[in-house]
Amino acid sequence: MAITSDGTQSFGIQDSPLTINSITYVCESWSTNYNANRVDINDSNGEALGATLIPQRVEGSATLQYSTDSATTAPIPSLGQEFTTSTTNGRNNDTWLITAASDAQTQGDYGKCTISFYNKTN
């Protein structure tokens, strides 16, 4: 049985669906990491005066679902491909670059794969 959407109920999470290289994927899960490096500032005696946080690149991963019963079965996204997200809360409205992609797993009429990505700077 193919996955179909009926009405206004979204299938997947808020960042779904994702379009990568003109192929639409249902986003089953999405995780982003907002990290920073801490740089300690010491006086001449080595006593801590404070610290500064330097933001790092935002990275993440997602599990994507796609249909396997169509004539144009969706491939696993390629490394270096860009995609954009647009959410209702604006949290992840950005452009991302794919850095890793897993082998696909299939079950019935759909397959899924996992991708890793980072926030594109420019």
Side-chain angles (χ1 to χ4, degrees), residues 68-82:
T68 60
D69 68 346
S70 65
T72 57
T73 300
I76 298 171
S78 299
L79 302 182
Q81 286 184 324
E82 293 183 13

Side-chain angles (χ1 to χ4, degrees), residues 20-102:
I20 303 171
N21 198 27
S22 302
I23 299 169
T24 302
Y25 299 86
V26 172
C27 188
E28 183 179 288
S29 66
W30 175 278
S31 174
T32 48
N33 299 313
Y34 298 84
N35 297 317
N37 286 329
R38 187 185 81 212
V39 178
D40 293 325
I41 302 169
N42 298 326
D43 65 12
S44 59
N45 296 321
E47 297 292 322
L49 294 174
T52 299
L53 292 178
I54 302 172
Q56 292 180 318
R57 187 180 302 272
V58 178
E59 297 178 335
S61 63
T63 301
L64 307 177
Q65 295 181 4
Y66 56 88
S67 173
T68 60
D69 68 346
S70 65
T72 57
T73 300
I76 298 171
S78 299
L79 302 182
Q81 286 184 324
E82 293 183 13
F83 65 96
T84 57
T85 51
S86 178
T87 58
T88 55
N89 67 8
R91 178 190 64 210
N92 291 324
N93 291 354
D94 234 324
T95 301
W96 308 89
L97 284 169
I98 296 175
T99 58
S102 72

